[in-house]
């Protein structure tokens, strides 16, 4: 599987998102890509 990653992913760092008509803390963000990268590295996947 090809895994594509760029440092630019960190630029999308919203403080809120709209969910159910209310502004809430985002479900997605730079923190999540770091969790995913760490899990992939732990399982010997190559990331670029």
């Amino acid at each position: 599987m090809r895994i594509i990653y760029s440092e630019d992913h960190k630029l999308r760092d919203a403080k809120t998102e709209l969910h159910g008509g209310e502004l809430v803390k985002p479900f997605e963000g730079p923190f999540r890509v770091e969790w995913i990268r760490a899990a992939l590295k732990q399982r010997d996947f190559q990331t670029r």
Side-chain angles (χ1 to χ4, degrees), residues 20-38:
E22 295 183 28
L23 289 175
V24 298
K25 182 178 175 183
F27 299 104
E28 302 287 341
F31 61 89
R32 188 161 182 267
V33 76
E34 294 305 323
W35 294 344
I36 293 167
R37 289 184 71 211

Side-chain angles (χ1 to χ4, degrees), residues 8-24:
D8 288 346
H9 285 100
K10 293 179 182 179
L11 297 175
R12 202 303 188 174
D13 191 13
K15 302 304 177 215
T16 60
E17 67 181 54
L18 192 59
H19 180 74
E22 295 183 28
L23 289 175
V24 298

